[in-house]
């Protein structure tokens, strides 16, 4: 009883269907396949497949419509388990919105296992670390990192914090998001998986809405519904689910 098709979202889950991301083969050449070179699947890659790019554009249009209709600006992106592709989906959603000339801030909210700096090829310094800022060690002028896309900014870092839940569970986090809202059209937050840590639930309370990324034929629908209900009991608003 997993999600095998987009129709399964409507039939098996208590959540809105926001689309499906087409499969994209990571290695574009025989040499890349042999080397197994680590690389991110991003829609602004000139070699990205048409179906892959178009599926993200359709998905991001649905997100854009729902967010604007509800007056939302901050969106937490999560999944039930690891290895469902939520970080890649969050990155491509941010890129897609930025390509429409929105001012977008992408926050790597997974303080235990950050990955956005790798996806975008960034080399964060100690002053860029979100964890240090939330602990009160650095100021807001240093944490914003530019990306190759003019209207897309990244906030995160590369350090791993075992005390991530304690770091996020303070009023400084909410104030930080409110500051981001003043200067950005959309804030996309890449969070830890819900089945691993409670950090995603905290981000769900701080953000305007939550998006679930679920890998095809991977997690039982019953387990996904359990997590959706858990977020709702904490007054988080579920924007919908996208099938990866």
């Amino acid at each position: 009883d997993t999600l095998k098709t987009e129709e399964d979202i409507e039939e098996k889950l208590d959540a809105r269907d926001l689309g499906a991301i087409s499969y994209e083969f990571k290695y574009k050449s025989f040499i890349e396949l042999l080397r197994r070179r680590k690389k991110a699947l991003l829609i602004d890659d000139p070699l990205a497949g048409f179906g892959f790019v178009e599926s993200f554009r359709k998905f991001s249009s649905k997100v854009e419509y729902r967010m604007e209709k509800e007056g939302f600006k901050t969106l937490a992106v999560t999944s039930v388990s690891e290895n469902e592709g939520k970080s890649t989906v969050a990155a491509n959603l941010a890129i897609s919105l930025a390509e429409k000339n929105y001012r977008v801030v992408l926050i790597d909210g997974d303080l235990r296992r950050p990955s956005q700096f790798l996806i975008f090829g960034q080399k964060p310094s100690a002053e860029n670390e979100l964890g240090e800022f939330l602990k009160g060690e650095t100021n807001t002028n240093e944490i914003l990192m530019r990306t190759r896309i003019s209207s897309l900014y990244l906030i995160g870092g590369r350090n791993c914090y075992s005390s991530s839940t304690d770091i996020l569970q303070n009023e400084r986090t909410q104030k930080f998001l409110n500051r981001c809202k003043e200067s950005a059209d959309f804030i996309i937050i890449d969070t830890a998986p819900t089945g691993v840590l409670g950090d995603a639930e905290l981000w769900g309370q701080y953000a305007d809405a939550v998006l679930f990324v679920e890998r095809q034929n991977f997690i039982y629908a019953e387990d996904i519904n359990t997590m959706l209900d858990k977020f709702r009991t904490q007054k988080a608003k579920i924007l919908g689910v996208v099938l990866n």
Side-chain angles (χ1 to χ4, degrees), residues 101-239:
N101 295 320
Y102 287 112
R103 188 178 174 88
V104 182
V105 173
L106 174 61
I107 300 173
D108 194 336
D110 189 349
L111 298 184
R112 294 206 188 197
R113 292 188 65 184
S115 61
Q116 293 297 341
F117 78 98
L118 293 171
I119 291 175
F120 283 92
Q122 297 278 4
K123 296 180 179 179
S125 64
E127 291 76 19
N128 299 138
E129 292 290 338
L130 175 60
E132 297 303 309
F133 167 75
L134 294 179
K135 289 195 296 182
E137 303 294 332
T138 56
N139 59 53
T140 52
N141 296 328
E142 303 292 338
I143 62 172
L144 203 66
M145 293 180 280
R146 290 182 176 273
T147 69
R148 60 182 178 272
I149 301 164
S150 60
S151 57
L152 174 59
Y153 299 84
L154 176 64
I155 295 176
R158 63 190 305 162
N159 291 347
C160 302
Y161 297 86
S162 59
S163 58
S164 59
T165 304
D166 293 332
I167 293 173
L168 294 174
Q169 208 164 13
N170 64 65
E171 62 180 15
R172 191 175 175 89
T173 307
Q174 186 67 73
K175 290 180 179 179
F176 156 68
L177 275 183
N178 291 339
R179 288 281 299 275
C180 290
K181 279 185 177 182
E182 294 173 4
S183 57
D185 298 308
F186 291 107
I187 298 104
I188 308 299
I189 309 164
D190 177 20
T191 78
T194 62
V196 179
L197 294 171
D199 294 8
E201 295 165 40
L202 289 172
W203 283 117
Q205 293 173 40
Y206 297 137
D208 296 326
V210 180
L211 167 72
F212 271 74
V213 178
E214 296 305 330
R215 182 174 164 185
Q216 184 185 38
N217 199 24
F218 194 65
I219 301 291
Y220 288 120
E222 181 181 357
D223 294 334
I224 301 171
N225 277 323
T226 298
M227 285 300 175
L228 290 169
D229 290 341
K230 191 174 184 180
F231 273 73
R232 289 191 177 103
T233 57
Q234 297 177 359
K235 309 301 181 184
K237 296 180 180 177
I238 307 298
L239 192 75

Side-chain angles (χ1 to χ4, degrees), residues 41-48 52-53 57 92 95 99 120 148-149:
L41 291 170
L42 299 178
I43 59 173
D44 64 338
D45 184 342
L47 297 178
F52 176 69
V53 174
R57 285 181 176 155
N92 280 312
I95 291 172
E99 287 179 342
F120 283 92
R148 60 182 178 272
I149 301 164

Side-chain angles (χ1 to χ4, degrees), residues 2-69:
T2 57
L3 304 181
K4 297 180 179 66
T5 65
E6 193 176 340
E7 289 72 24
D8 285 344
I9 297 176
E10 296 283 359
E11 294 176 5
K12 299 179 181 180
L13 300 183
D14 184 21
R16 185 185 302 275
D17 168 29
L18 289 177
I21 306 302
S22 295
Y23 178 79
E24 176 79 349
F25 193 62
K26 181 176 290 189
Y27 305 105
K28 306 296 184 183
S29 68
F30 184 68
I31 294 176
E32 283 188 352
L33 179 61
L34 288 177
R35 292 176 179 174
R36 295 281 172 175
R37 183 170 66 91
K38 287 188 176 181
K39 59 179 291 189
L41 291 170
L42 299 178
I43 59 173
D44 64 338
D45 184 342
L47 297 178
F50 177 78
F52 176 69
V53 174
E54 281 302 301
S55 65
F56 259 108
R57 285 181 176 155
K58 290 178 182 178
F59 158 63
S60 68
S61 293
K62 290 182 181 179
V63 171
E64 176 190 3
Y65 171 76
R66 297 305 310 176
M67 294 280 284
E68 290 189 334
K69 183 178 180 180

